[in-house]
Amino acid sequence: MSIATAPDAATLRAFAEQSGAWPFAEARKIVARLQRRPAREVVFETGYGPSGLPHIGTFGEVARTTMVRHAFRVLTEDKVKTRLIAFSDDLDGLRRIPDNVPNKELLEPHLGKPLTRVPDPFGTHASFGEHNNARLRTFLDTFGFDYEFMSSTACYMSGQFDAALLVVLERFDAVMGIMLPSLREERAQTYSPFLPICARTGIVLQVPIVARDQARGVIVYDDPQTGERVTTPVTGGRCKLQWKPDWAMRWLALGVDYEMAGKDLIDSVKLSGEICRALDATPPEGFNYELFLDEKGQKISKSKGNGLTIDEWLRYASPQSLSLFMYREPKAAKRLHFDVIPRQVDEYQQCLDGYERQDMKQRLSNPAWHIHGGNPPRVDMPVSFAMLLSLVTASNAADAETLWGFIGRYRPGVTCQSHPELERLVGYAINYYRDFVLPAKTFREPEAAARGALADLRDALSQLPTDATPEAIQDVVYDIGRREPFLDRSGKIKTKDGRPGVSLDWFNMLYQVLLGMEKGPRFGSFVGIYGIANTIAMIDGALARSIAAHATDR
């Protein structure tokens, strides 16, 4: 089949049924579920706890679930209606004040109250919960996700959960029988799946239930401050559930068929699934993804604010590069720090470039297919992000005009008007350079062998014509590098002409000494864009610095 021919739904489905891509593997679980339990609609859900600002991990769950949803639609030829619910547990009580919010003193008197009844420290919304919900929705809308937002507060207060809450009250003993073995003895003494919301203080109470009346739909507890015995309905937003029973109740009430969760919630998923079955419902399908880690290897947290924020990634890279980060290896723990961004940007473009050359089987395993819902765009990107960073670093460019000067000389006719995606990439590169590369920029002091090689490279480059191709420049770079200590002695590096290879130490040295960067793109291509004369001047500067440093040492 020609890759230029768009397959019909049946043909695409046939390929999808055999695809090893993880979204299809997940979607096939939902197809099997439908065969066991036929339904006209499949509900996907993602959860968000708005006790802190949404972070990239929150986005990742929605992005990955969207990929599974699209894979399911392909496997069913879009004959089954699907919905994606982004659910916010905003009726949860504020347990601690996050580290990354202003006006913390404003929150202190409201500890324990539902997040939608806590003042907004940012001063933009009626409550802290609504502020964080708005941030989440704005971000999801920026990415164009097709989802329905649901608020726990709205569902409880409107009565949407009332029927399911009464089922939990009816199965109270069964729920307790599942939860109590998982609790410490002290916690088990006071545990109840129902958390009354105190009419007097507005606080979500964790108190023992002294009596319950299934027929009336009420529970009885003692006010922990006054000692007064209080009777309250479990419906109408007067109570909320502990989060594991709440999760199970939500699956029942909303008919959820698929929900993924982090690896740290494996035991919680198991318990909620048992409770769901105790409520005569079937737990959703799903899988457990690995956690994101900050630069220190610690789990990123909304309340701590460690790791990258949503806005930070979008300052330095495209949304699609973030989607690629989420697609790759969802069951492997990954560092989510600034230094992962450049690679994701360029690998995303590599996925787009490769897509055009692939057959249908290969395309369905290409991340770009899943990122773009089966329709990746064609984007001509004549310069890589890594190259742009090297150009900015070499020239200390403070504006885009300088970079476009290099690009225009390298690729005549390429302008910001003809390549709007490249224009965005230029902006990202300048932001990244200013915030991360420049503050950490340090030049390696070349050893004697490196100084000699740099001098020879300078002389060799000066013999080339100004319009030498990147390939010709690269040949010169290789020739100069074929010397100790840069000559590869391992035999692992093979060259097409059979000549000895050059170790990566040679190229690393060039970038560390000349640009103050650990690594860079193909050096011949860099010189081709930056210019031979500019490169010679840069080598002269590095050698001059080295001479001055040695004179100072003496």
Side-chain angles (χ1 to χ4, degrees):
M1 181 180 64
S2 169
I3 63 173
T5 303
D8 57 44
T11 301
L12 185 59
R13 175 181 178 175
F15 278 101
E17 287 174 342
Q18 302 300 317
S19 176
W22 71 261
F24 284 118
E26 290 300 298
R28 285 193 286 268
K29 290 166 24 179
I30 310 171
V31 172
R33 177 188 179 92
L34 244 110
Q35 292 171 346
R36 298 190 302 269
R37 301 173 62 254
R40 295 182 178 180
E41 178 182 77
V42 167
V43 177
F44 297 80
E45 183 183 48
T46 63
Y48 167 57
S51 58
L53 301 178
H55 58 57
I56 290 180
T58 309
F59 158 76
E61 189 167 309
V62 181
R64 288 166 170 168
T65 304
T66 296
M67 294 173 187
V68 176
R69 180 189 183 189
H70 178 253
F72 172 80
R73 293 177 62 185
V74 170
L75 287 172
T76 57
E77 299 182 31
D78 216 10
K79 294 177 181 178
V80 180
K81 181 181 178 181
T82 62
R83 298 166 59 206
L84 171 57
I85 297 172
F87 190 90
S88 172
D89 190 16
D90 55 17
L91 196 61
D92 194 21
L94 179 65
R95 297 180 180 88
R96 62 181 295 271
I97 299 175
D99 298 329
N100 57 342
V101 299
N103 305 312
K104 294 181 181 180
E105 68 282 356
L106 188 67
L107 303 182
E108 290 177 2
H110 301 279
L111 284 170
K113 293 181 181 179
L115 292 160
T116 44
R117 299 181 191 176
V118 174
D120 177 16
F122 296 89
T124 60
H125 292 76
S127 71
F128 187 36
E130 289 169 89
H131 173 272
N132 291 340
N133 287 342
R135 290 285 297 271
L136 174 70
R137 296 179 70 175
T138 297
F139 181 63
L140 297 181
D141 291 342
T142 299
F143 280 80
F145 287 119
D146 176 21
Y147 70 98
E148 300 172 35
F149 177 79
M150 281 194 178
S151 156
S152 177
T153 299
C155 290
Y156 270 96
M157 300 298 292
S158 68
Q160 184 172 355
F161 284 167
D162 282 358
L165 289 167
L166 291 173
V167 175
V168 176
L169 183 60
E170 176 188 346
R171 310 294 170 83
F172 186 93
D173 290 335
V175 174
M176 291 289 283
I178 294 168
M179 286 302 305
L180 290 180
S182 70
L183 304 173
R184 297 190 304 272
E185 183 176 353
E186 181 181 355
R187 180 77 180 93
Q189 296 300 319
T190 61
Y191 181 84
S192 165
F194 287 96
L195 302 175
I197 300 176
C198 182
R200 181 175 55 82
T201 65
I203 291 176
V204 181
L205 300 174
Q206 296 203 34
V207 293
I209 301 304
V210 298
R212 64 186 189 276
D213 187 330
Q214 179 181 327
R216 295 168 56 202
V218 300
I219 57 173
V220 181
Y221 68 95
D222 292 331
D223 188 306
Q225 290 185 347
T226 67
E228 176 187 2
R229 183 145 292 188
V230 181
T231 299
T232 186
V234 300
T235 54
R238 268 72 64 92
C239 289
K240 80 173 297 289
L241 293 177
Q242 297 268 12
W243 80 275
K244 294 183 184 73
D246 184 270
W247 209 0
M249 179 276 298
R250 191 194 314 162
W251 291 339
L252 166 64
L254 302 179
V256 177
D257 295 289
Y258 186 87
E259 181 165 4
M260 59 178 64
K263 185 179 179 181
D264 56 334
L265 298 181
I266 289 177
D267 291 339
S268 299
V269 171
K270 180 180 178 181
L271 286 172
S272 295
E274 291 179 13
I275 295 171
C276 189
R277 282 184 282 270
L279 304 179
D280 285 340
T282 303
E285 307 299 320
F287 85 120
N288 296 103
Y289 55 82
E290 260 289 2
L291 306 178
F292 295 114
L293 310 175
D294 65 12
E295 73 277 16
K296 297 178 182 178
Q298 297 179 341
K299 174 189 171 185
I300 62 172
S301 163
K302 293 188 297 293
S303 58
K304 290 181 180 179
N306 58 334
L308 280 174
T309 69
I310 293 164
D311 293 336
E312 284 170 335
W313 186 290
L314 296 183
R315 172 170 166 78
Y316 308 113
S318 67
Q320 294 77 24
S321 65
L322 177 54
S323 294
L324 173 64
F325 184 80
M326 296 302 168
Y327 177 87
R328 288 267 171 82
E329 301 177 308
K331 292 199 173 186
K334 293 185 288 187
R335 289 176 64 257
L336 184 53
H337 194 53
F338 296 105
D339 55 7
V340 309
I341 291 177
R343 180 178 176 183
Q344 299 305 312
V345 174
D346 283 338
E347 288 192 356
Y348 165 69
Q349 186 60 41
Q350 291 167 13
C351 290
L352 288 183
D353 294 341
Y355 186 82
E356 296 298 322
R357 302 185 296 271
Q358 293 174 329
D359 60 28
M360 184 51 59
K361 179 180 178 181
Q362 294 169 325
R363 287 183 169 191
L364 294 187
S365 293
N366 187 324
W369 190 93
H370 297 274
I371 291 169
H372 292 282
N375 190 30
R378 293 188 178 185
V379 177
D380 176 26
M381 192 64 69
V383 182
S384 70
F385 191 63
M387 181 65 74
L388 289 175
L389 283 178
S390 296
L391 289 172
V392 178
T393 302
S395 61
N396 291 310
D399 56 72
E401 184 177 354
T402 303
L403 281 184
W404 280 107
F406 292 124
I407 295 169
R409 183 178 62 197
Y410 174 66
R411 290 288 298 272
V414 172
T415 66
C416 55
Q417 290 79 23
S418 66
H419 288 70
E421 292 295 332
L422 180 55
E423 181 183 23
R424 281 187 278 274
L425 208 64
V426 165
Y428 293 142
I430 292 174
N431 289 341
Y432 194 93
Y433 169 74
R434 288 173 177 169
D435 293 352
F436 301 112
V437 179
L438 183 59
K441 191 173 181 180
T442 56
F443 292 93
R444 170 179 162 184
E445 172 63 25
E447 304 82 6
R451 289 196 300 271
L454 284 171
D456 289 347
L457 177 61
R458 180 211 181 283
D459 293 341
L461 290 176
S462 67
Q463 301 301 312
L464 291 175
T466 57
D467 60 350
T469 65
E471 290 73 20
I473 297 170
Q474 188 75 5
D475 286 343
V476 168
V477 175
Y478 272 119
D479 285 340
I480 301 300
R482 289 189 176 97
R483 62 169 66 190
E484 297 293 349
F486 306 115
L487 185 66
D488 175 58
R489 296 291 187 182
S490 68
K492 295 180 180 179
I493 301 177
K494 305 294 184 182
T495 59
K496 294 180 180 179
D497 58 6
R499 300 181 67 188
V502 180
S503 73
L504 290 177
D505 292 340
W506 165 236
F507 298 100
N508 292 341
M509 183 277 291
L510 291 176
Y511 280 99
Q512 292 163 11
V513 170
L514 300 179
L515 297 178
M517 298 174 63
E518 284 299 312
K519 298 181 183 299
R522 194 168 186 263
F523 197 76
S525 299
F526 164 73
V527 176
I529 299 179
Y530 188 53
I532 291 176
N534 289 332
T535 304
I536 290 172
M538 185 168 58
I539 295 173
D540 286 341
L543 292 174
R545 286 196 305 271
S546 179
I547 292 172
H550 280 276
T552 302
D553 291 341
R554 289 195 293 270

